């Protein structure tokens, strides 16, 4: 019998020629064959004994309200939740048998704690479905085993990350415990704890069975009227174009008949991109080999928790009296030619790639060195550019929904995502803030860019077990979208962040320039690793849960507060809404926020009614129009949603994208008027140019749109500039500001300045699961007018009934950093968590915002806030906090009006 230890030694001693970069697509085993057995460690799979398809298991209906394609975890969870929500004329089509693609060989681990409040909620729903709901509905056991989870920390930073998860878990009632090495040894006697810093133990984590779960899900769905058809591949998606040019799903084609339907859900996993091509939909994912090995029996391993040793990039899953060992490597093998015939199939394991996981596993559980390998499991999995799933309605075709790209997490995220996807299909939106999973988070120029998909998916895979630090940035596929100021700001030491493909200024390094280089795959695939990489060095110094070394962006913040600073905000989306119904559409879509009919907040938008003059912008028809400036990170999402509403409501208007054709700089601070008065050919006095107004003016001989606005709480103007005029205008501003010590500033400073002022960031302080009233933004709504807008009825009802949750500002006196997700306690009871936190350099305090609830379920009134004693828990340590109903900085809004006493 071969042992894990000997497998490692054999592979390490082998001499092999290098493989060509990125192209290891064969399924040969390069090891000395510790085992040839390839099989999953489950007692039951749904593979047919004879392996022969006998045609569809049920007759195809002529029509259906929804057709779900793919019988894996997501497909089964989606049809179950659709049926449970009352939509029963739904069909699931699986080309082979349920789970045949990737679900059948998944490890099936469920960890309850993640560094995301939304993901914690999604995981909690999955756990409830498989551990309780399905058994109550069907009387069948899904195979759920609650053996607990143990996260291993080999250093302080890793344990700090786990402590952050523990604090967040308290808000959601998830039991977890930080254990010392000695306590860990008591819990898991076979574990080597000599190199441990500590561990996090979550007793109610566990393990799922793919066949048992999917079988029970489909039985429950069928009992409610859904139809599940196996052995029925999809060969085409019919799409029709209506009279307005809108593409919509029409029907699903199979070898056994056609099903007419207005809605298709792509849950095809690794094969999702091919299914998307049938409808003209781009699905940005890539297939890779992903593997684990199953050991022989290990004495004393029974009933042990599952283990994640992130620093060794390995997991150990309890498998009865054995272990499954797997992980994430920096040199995964891409599956270049995805085969349609790959059902209940596995690749041969490449031991050269996998050996690193064996070494980590043996270090953690030394008994593994003399334990035999029973079988190997190497199958395909789909991965995405940010290691998050692809969900929601595709922007190219109405009625074509995505539920794919789950990065080996389809089982544990399946329940929560299946429910959200079902709600999305039925109601047009999810209940939770699913922006991080929405396909519209990616700009359309990236979703079919193979370099971007490959590089970013590789980096996300390789860093899957890395510590999630607050200020991390990707190195892969950078410089995809650059604004006109990029080169000049690089030369001045700009350290860029990547958002939506754009390079946007993060902060300014006072030493030498730090340009972003081409991606080196971390030295994998024999690609030469970047050396003398200043940007990567600076990024590495930011990897901390303390104040980072570059906390001295204080200079950028205080220069803005006391003098003048320039912010390049060109990555903003810049759209024009024109046509005879433009005003009607704007009234329907927008208050000063951008609402859905929930009425949740979909975006924060600068919406300006303009009169288009002859030359600015040149391609927009003359007359009245609306100019929209939207944060670049959500511009694609908003672009698609606005177009959807325009289509659904039948408004006669057009939306035109000028994002790439214009730059945008914001000049802010007490000295901004003095600087700009030398550059702009306009009177900038309060009387001639009041706050929240705009004009087309000349700047250094170039025509620009000047808006008196601020996102930092100071006197200032934004200049929206045609691309070719950007550099001359910028240079004129910097020249005029030199005597006022003008400086460049980045988004790290904007984050600090805006939270200090109490301005909301969309997707942090303000999300689709928040209402304007809960967010303290009632003044932005048109409730005092009679103008109808999306969500007005529900907003009025919420105002009448009182708020059950609301945002609150907190400050603490101790100088400790907070980043969001810290727990909020009132009188010792957890009532919420922070959404966002930063350091306010002017008030010289950590400042934070979070939503709180009344634990009794009552109204969260001003008295409720004023009468409580609040603490914030950061990594297990509590700090006394002061609650504020208004921002402590300039609560009377004098500074934006130019009033500096």
């Amino acid at each position: 019998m071969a042992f894990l230890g000997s497998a490692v030694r054999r592979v390490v001693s082998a001499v092999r020629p290098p493989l060509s970069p990125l192209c290891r697509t064969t399924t040969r085993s390069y090891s000395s064959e510790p085992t040839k057995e390839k099989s999953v460690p489950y007692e039951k799979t749904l593979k047919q004994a004879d392996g022969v398809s006998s045609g569809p298991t049920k007759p195809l209906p002529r029509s259906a309200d929804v057709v779900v394609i793919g019988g894996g975890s997501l497909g089964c969870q989606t049809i179950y939740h659709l049926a449970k929500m009352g939509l029963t004329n739904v069909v699931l089509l699986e080309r082979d048998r349920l789970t045949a693609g990737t679900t059948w060989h998944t490890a099936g681990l469920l960890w309850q704690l993640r560094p995301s409040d939304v993901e914690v909620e999604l995981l909690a729903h999955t756990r409830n479905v498989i551990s309780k709901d399905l058994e109550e509905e069907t009387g069948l056991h899904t195979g759920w085993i609650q053996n607990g989870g143990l996260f291993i920390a080999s250093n302080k930073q890793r344990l700090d990350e786990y402590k952050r998860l523990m604090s967040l878990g308290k808000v959601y009632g998830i039991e977890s415990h930080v254990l010392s090495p000695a306590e860990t040894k008591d819990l898991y006697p076979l574990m080597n704890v000599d190199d441990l810093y500590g561990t996090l133990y979550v007793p109610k984590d566990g393990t799922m069975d793919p066949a048992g779960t999917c079988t029970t899900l489909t039985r429950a769905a069928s009992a409610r009227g859904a139809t599940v058809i196996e052995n029925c591949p999809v060969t085409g998606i019919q799409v029709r174009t209506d009279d307005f040019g809108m593409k919509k799903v029409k029907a699903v084609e199979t070898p056994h008949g056609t099903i007419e339907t207005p809605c298709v859900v792509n849950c095809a996993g690794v094969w999702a991109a091919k299914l998307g091509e049938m409808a003209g939909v781009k699905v940005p994912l890539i297939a890779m080999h992903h593997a684990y090995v199953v050991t022989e029996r290990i004495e004393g391993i029974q009933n042990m928790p599952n283990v994640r040793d992130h620093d060794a990039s390995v997991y150990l899953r309890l498998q009865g009296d054995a272990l499954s060992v797997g992980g994430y490597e920096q040199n995964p093998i891409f599956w270049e030619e995805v085969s349609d015939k790959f059902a209940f199939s596995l690749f041969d394991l490449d031991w050269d790639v996998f050996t690193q996981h064996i070494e980590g596993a043996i270090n953690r559980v030394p008994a593994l060195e003399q334990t035999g390998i029973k079988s190997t499991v190497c199958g395909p999995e789909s991965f995405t550019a940010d290691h998050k799933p692809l969900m929601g309605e595709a922007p190219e075709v109405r009625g074509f929904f995505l539920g794919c790209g789950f990065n080996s997490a389809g089982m544990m995220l399946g329940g929560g995502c299946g429910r959200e996807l079902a709600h999305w299909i039925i109601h047009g939106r999810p209940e939770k803030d699913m922006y991080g999973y929405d396909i519209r988070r990616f700009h359309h120029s990236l979703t079919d860019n193979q370099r971007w998909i490959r590089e970013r998916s590789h980096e996300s895979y390789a860093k899957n077990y890395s510590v999630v630090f607050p200020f991390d940035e990707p190195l892969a596929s950078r410089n995809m979208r650059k604004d006109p100021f990029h080169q000049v700001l690089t030369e001045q030491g700009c350290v860029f962040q990547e958002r939506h493909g754009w390079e946007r200024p993060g902060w300014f390094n006072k030493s030498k320039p730090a340009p972003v280089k081409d991606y080196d795959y971390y030295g994998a695939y024999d690609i030469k690793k970047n050396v003398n990489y200043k940007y990567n060095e600076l990024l590495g110094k930011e990897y901390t849960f303390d104040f980072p070394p570059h906390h001295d962006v204080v200079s950028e913040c205080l220069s803005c507060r006391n003098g003048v600073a320039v912010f390049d905000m060109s990555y903003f989306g810049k759209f024009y809404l024109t046509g005879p119904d433009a005003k009607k559409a704007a009234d329907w879509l927008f208050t000063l926020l951008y609402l859905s009919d929930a009425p949740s907040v979909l975006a924060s938008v600068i919406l300006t009614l303009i009169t288009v003059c002859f030359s600015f912008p040149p391609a927009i028809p003359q007359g009245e129009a609306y100019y929209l400036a939207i944060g670049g990170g959500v511009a694609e999402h908003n672009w698609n949603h606005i177009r959807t509403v325009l289509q659904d409501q039948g408004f006669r208007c057009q939306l035109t994208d000028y994002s790439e054709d214009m730059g945008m700089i914001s000049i802010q601070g007490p000295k901004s008027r003095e600087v700009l008065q030398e550059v702009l050919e306009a009177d900038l006095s309060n009387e001639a140019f009041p706050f929240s107004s705009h004009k087309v003016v000349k700047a250094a001989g170039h025509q620009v749109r000047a808006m008196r606005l601020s996102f930092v709480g100071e006197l200032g103007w934004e200049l929206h500039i045609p691309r070719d005029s950007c550099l001359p205008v910028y240079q004129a501003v910097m020249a005029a500001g030199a005597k006022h010590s003008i400086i460049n500033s980045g988004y790290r400073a904007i984050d600090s300045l805006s939270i200090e002022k109490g301005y909301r960031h969309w997707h942090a302080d303000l999300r689709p699961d928040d209402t304007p009233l809960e967010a303290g933004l009632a003044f932005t709504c048109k409730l005092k007018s009679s103008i109808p807008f999306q969500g007005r009825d529900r907003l009025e009802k919420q105002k009448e009934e009182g708020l059950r949750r609301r945002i609150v500002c907190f400050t603490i006196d101790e100088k400790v950093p907070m980043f969001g997700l810290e727990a909020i306690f009132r009188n010792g009871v957890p009532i919420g968590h922070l959404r966002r936190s930063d350091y306010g350099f002017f008030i010289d305090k950590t400042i934070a915002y979070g939503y709180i609830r009344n634990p009794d379920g009552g109204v969260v009134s001003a008295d409720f806030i004023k009468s409580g004693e609040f603490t914030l828990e950061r990594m297990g340590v509590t700090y006394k906090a002061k609650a504020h109903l208004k921002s402590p900085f300039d609560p009377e809004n004098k500074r934006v009006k130019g009033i500096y006493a």
Side-chain angles (χ1 to χ4, degrees):
M1 178 185 295
F3 299 103
L4 268 74
S6 61
V8 172
R9 288 190 291 274
R10 287 174 183 172
V11 175
V12 170
S13 64
V15 178
R16 294 185 47 222
L19 296 172
S20 59
L22 313 186
C23 296
R24 296 204 281 179
T25 62
T26 65
T27 59
R28 294 175 293 162
S29 171
Y30 296 99
S31 73
S32 302
E33 295 186 326
T35 180
K36 288 186 176 181
E37 178 65 24
K38 297 185 296 183
S39 64
V40 297
Y42 300 109
E43 292 183 6
K44 176 185 177 183
T45 69
L46 303 179
K47 183 177 180 180
Q48 291 174 294
D50 58 6
V52 178
S53 171
S54 57
T57 54
K58 293 178 184 176
L60 271 66
R62 296 185 64 180
S63 64
D65 293 328
V66 180
V67 175
V68 178
I69 303 173
S73 172
L74 254 295
C76 294
Q77 289 279 9
T78 301
I79 198 167
Y80 165 74
H81 283 93
L82 283 168
K84 196 168 184 177
M85 291 180 187
L87 197 62
T88 57
N89 184 24
V90 292
V91 176
L92 184 149
L93 298 179
E94 164 55 45
R95 64 185 174 90
D96 196 274
R97 305 291 289 187
L98 296 179
T99 75
T102 61
T103 298
W104 81 289
H105 60 69
T106 182
L109 297 162
L110 192 149
W111 317 93
Q112 295 178 89
L113 293 176
R114 304 268 278 208
S116 160
D117 57 339
V118 174
E119 289 190 354
V120 168
E121 294 170 9
L122 295 173
L123 292 165
H125 183 69
T126 299
R127 188 182 179 282
N128 287 338
V129 168
I130 62 169
S131 67
K132 181 174 68 72
D133 294 353
L134 284 173
E135 190 164 352
E136 290 176 357
E137 290 180 37
T138 66
L140 300 174
H141 183 52
T142 63
W144 165 253
I145 299 172
Q146 183 179 295
N147 59 311
L150 191 63
F151 287 2
I152 306 298
S154 301
N155 54 67
K156 180 181 182 298
Q157 286 184 330
R158 183 68 75 178
L159 192 61
D160 284 347
E161 180 184 38
Y162 295 161
K163 289 177 178 177
R164 277 172 55 79
L165 298 181
M166 178 186 67
S167 292
L168 178 62
K170 291 179 180 179
V171 178
Y172 288 98
I174 298 173
E175 179 186 359
S176 65
H177 308 275
V178 172
L179 304 182
S180 67
E183 291 170 324
T184 303
K185 186 73 172 180
D186 290 340
L187 175 67
Y188 203 121
L190 293 181
M191 183 171 289
N192 166 35
V193 299
D194 293 344
D195 59 347
L196 292 194
Y197 200 87
T199 59
L200 180 69
Y201 175 49
V202 188
K204 295 182 181 179
D205 284 354
T207 313
M208 298 169 285
D209 177 78
T213 298
C214 290
T215 299
T216 312
L217 284 166
T218 52
R219 286 192 183 182
S222 298
R224 294 176 181 271
T227 302
V228 177
I229 305 175
E230 298 173 272
N231 295 334
C232 187
V234 171
T235 56
I237 308 290
Q238 294 182 14
V239 175
R240 65 182 178 88
T241 303
D242 68 12
D243 295 339
F244 298 98
M246 192 189 324
K247 292 183 178 180
K248 297 180 177 181
V249 169
K250 180 183 178 183
V252 173
E253 298 173 349
T254 81
H256 311 287
T258 297
I259 304 174
E260 294 185 1
T261 181
C263 182
V264 163
V265 190
N266 183 350
C267 297
V270 165
W271 297 269
K274 286 191 173 184
L275 188 65
E277 288 175 5
M278 296 179 186
V281 170
K282 297 180 289 186
V283 183
L285 54 74
I286 198 164
M288 301 183 197
H289 293 204
H290 192 55
Y292 61 89
V293 299
V294 185
T295 74
E296 297 285 357
R297 184 178 185 276
I298 304 170
E299 184 64 37
I301 205 70
Q302 295 87 342
N303 301 318
M304 290 297 101
N306 300 319
V307 174
R308 252 187 174 179
D309 190 341
H310 290 97
D311 296 314
S313 195
V314 68
Y315 67 79
L316 308 173
R317 175 202 192 273
L318 184 68
Q319 195 67 53
D321 58 2
L323 289 177
S324 294
V325 179
Y328 290 82
E329 57 280 348
Q330 291 198 349
N331 56 336
I333 300 173
F334 294 96
W335 191 23
E336 303 286 4
E337 299 296 331
V338 177
S339 170
D340 292 336
K341 306 300 182 183
F342 204 88
F344 291 110
S345 301
L346 296 171
F347 304 115
D348 290 335
L349 183 65
D350 186 328
W351 283 96
D352 284 354
V353 173
F354 194 78
T355 296
Q356 57 193 288
H357 305 313
I358 298 294
E359 293 171 331
I362 290 173
N363 175 65
R364 190 54 55 221
V365 180
L368 287 171
E369 187 166 16
Q370 297 301 315
T371 300
I373 303 171
K374 185 177 182 180
S375 67
T376 67
V377 181
C378 182
E381 292 279 2
S382 58
F383 295 91
T384 65
D386 56 3
H387 218 71
K388 302 292 183 186
L390 308 175
M391 293 179 63
E393 190 174 33
E396 299 93 342
V397 178
R398 301 294 302 277
F400 192 101
F401 283 79
L402 301 177
C404 52
F406 274 78
N407 306 278
S408 293
M411 282 294 292
M412 66 176 170
L413 287 171
C417 289
R419 180 176 67 173
E420 292 304 308
L421 192 51
H423 195 279
W424 217 327
I425 292 164
I426 294 170
H427 301 286
R429 63 182 183 280
E431 283 190 297
K432 299 187 187 304
D433 170 29
M434 299 299 288
Y435 173 74
Y437 291 8
D438 194 328
I439 181 61
R440 296 172 297 177
R441 70 189 183 272
F442 296 136
H443 190 259
H444 64 268
S445 67
L446 303 177
T447 51
D448 61 352
N449 184 310
Q450 293 306 306
R451 175 200 159 198
W452 175 80
I453 295 170
R454 191 183 194 90
E455 288 186 1
R456 287 292 293 271
S457 297
H458 171 270
E459 183 177 33
S460 294
Y461 182 101
K463 292 181 66 175
N464 184 44
Y465 276 5
S466 298
V467 177
V468 180
F469 289 110
F471 301 120
D472 198 10
E473 293 291 331
L475 297 176
S477 286
R478 296 292 297 267
N479 297 317
M480 302 296 284
R481 304 174 75 193
K482 296 186 288 188
D483 66 46
F485 308 104
H486 182 268
Q487 184 59 37
V488 69
L489 295 183
T490 299
E491 293 167 358
Q492 296 181 66
C494 183
V495 180
F496 285 93
Q497 302 171 333
E498 188 275 341
R499 298 293 184 274
H500 211 53
W502 284 106
E503 296 293 317
R504 76 172 192 183
W507 55 281
F508 284 80
N509 175 40
K510 294 179 181 178
S511 57
K512 61 181 181 180
V516 180
K517 298 184 178 183
D518 288 343
Y519 186 49
D520 61 4
Y521 284 85
Y522 293 92
Y525 314 115
D526 299 317
I527 293 175
K528 186 176 180 181
K529 197 168 184 179
N530 287 321
V531 295
N532 300 319
Y533 195 177
K534 181 68 173 178
Y535 181 87
N536 198 19
E537 292 173 13
L538 292 172
L539 199 61
K541 293 176 182 178
E542 301 267 286
Y543 290 168
T544 178
F545 291 111
D546 294 322
F547 288 120
H550 309 103
H551 185 59
D552 60 2
V553 293
V554 58
S555 60
E556 295 180 28
C557 294
L558 292 183
S559 291
C560 181
R561 291 280 185 244
N562 300 320
V564 61
V566 177
F567 301 89
D568 172 18
M569 302 176 74
S570 299
Y571 94 118
F572 261 52
K574 296 169 280 286
F575 309 146
Y576 285 87
L577 181 65
T578 60
D581 287 344
K583 183 180 187 307
K584 188 186 296 184
D587 284 342
W588 179 252
L589 278 162
F590 307 106
T591 60
L592 292 183
L593 294 167
Y594 173 18
L595 304 181
S596 74
D597 57 0
S600 55
V601 180
L602 296 179
S604 178
V605 179
I606 299 171
L607 177 69
T608 307
L609 174 63
I610 61 174
T611 300
V612 180
C613 59
F614 177 72
S615 59
F616 189 86
I620 300 299
Q622 295 184 54
E624 281 196 345
Y626 286 87
Y627 176 55
L628 286 70
I630 302 174
V634 295
E636 181 78 10
H637 182 275
N638 281 262
W639 167 267
N640 283 290
H641 185 81
I642 294 170
R643 289 181 66 226
T644 296
V645 173
L646 297 181
Q647 292 166 355
D648 289 347
Q649 297 296 323
F651 290 127
R652 296 169 300 156
C653 46
Q654 297 78 43
L655 193 65
T656 309
D657 186 356
Y658 264 73
S659 302
E660 306 279 352
D661 302 308
M662 297 173 65
M664 175 179 166
I665 57 175
S666 183
I667 300 90
Q668 300 288 325
K671 301 292 184 180
S672 60
R673 180 182 277 133
E674 296 174 52
V675 172
L676 289 176
Q677 196 63 78
E678 294 186 28
V679 178
L680 303 183
E681 297 177 15
D683 182 354
L684 303 184
S685 66
N686 284 336
E687 295 75 21
F689 211 139
F691 181 72
S692 196
S693 64
H694 67 96
K695 294 179 181 180
V696 174
V697 299
K698 286 288 187 70
H702 298 262
Q703 202 168 45
V704 305
R705 186 175 303 282
M707 296 185 179
R708 188 173 164 190
L709 296 169
S710 177
F711 201 61
V712 297
E714 297 295 335
L715 172 69
W717 281 260
E718 292 177 358
L719 303 183
H720 298 246
I721 315 166
R723 188 177 187 92
D724 292 343
S725 301
C726 283
L727 283 180
V729 172
Y730 169 78
Q731 290 162 353
V733 169
M734 297 305 287
K739 59 178 171 287
H740 300 288
S741 301
I742 194 171
I743 67 165
N744 291 299
S745 290
Y747 270 82
R748 287 277 292 277
I750 287 179
D751 290 342
S752 169
L753 293 163
S754 63
I755 197 171
E756 189 173 50
K757 178 65 183 96
Y759 290 157
R760 311 289 192 253
H761 271 199
W762 194 83
H763 204 238
D765 317 297
L766 203 56
R767 305 192 314 200
D769 50 348
D770 305 318
T771 73
L773 301 185
E774 294 166 347
L777 298 173
F779 67 92
T780 66
C781 300
K782 299 174 285 194
L783 291 175
K784 293 182 180 179
S785 75
S786 59
I787 299 173
F789 58 84
Q790 283 198 108
R792 177 170 189 137
D793 291 346
R794 297 189 186 186
L795 211 57
E796 289 174 336
K797 182 179 179 182
Q798 186 182 47
K799 182 179 180 181
E800 181 181 341
E801 293 176 349
L803 300 177
R804 262 54 180 184
R805 63 192 288 273
R806 65 186 291 179
I807 200 168
V808 176
C809 172
F810 298 96
T811 55
I812 58 174
D813 292 330
E814 289 92 340
K815 288 195 174 183
V816 294
M818 294 189 180
F819 306 104
L821 300 183
E822 291 81 4
I824 304 169
F825 291 80
R826 179 184 181 272
N827 299 341
V829 177
I831 58 168
H833 64 275
L834 298 183
R835 287 278 190 84
R836 184 164 71 107
S837 182
D838 214 315
Y839 199 80
F841 291 102
F842 192 85
I843 64 173
D844 200 23
K845 293 178 186 291
T846 291
I847 185 167
Y849 281 83
Y851 286 80
I852 66 171
R853 294 181 181 273
N854 187 329
D856 297 330
V859 171
V860 181
S861 64
D863 288 341
F864 176 84
I865 297 169
K866 292 176 183 177
S867 62
E869 292 187 3
F870 291 91
T871 55
L872 305 179
E873 182 176 305
R874 172 188 182 269
M875 296 188 297
V877 179
T878 58
Y879 297 89
K880 188 175 181 180
K882 183 177 180 180
H884 304 266
L885 295 176
K886 286 187 175 183
S887 167
F889 172 80
D890 190 25
E892 297 179 356
N893 289 323
K894 290 183 177 180
R895 298 171 76 97
V896 295
K897 301 171 185 175
I899 303 172
Y900 292 91

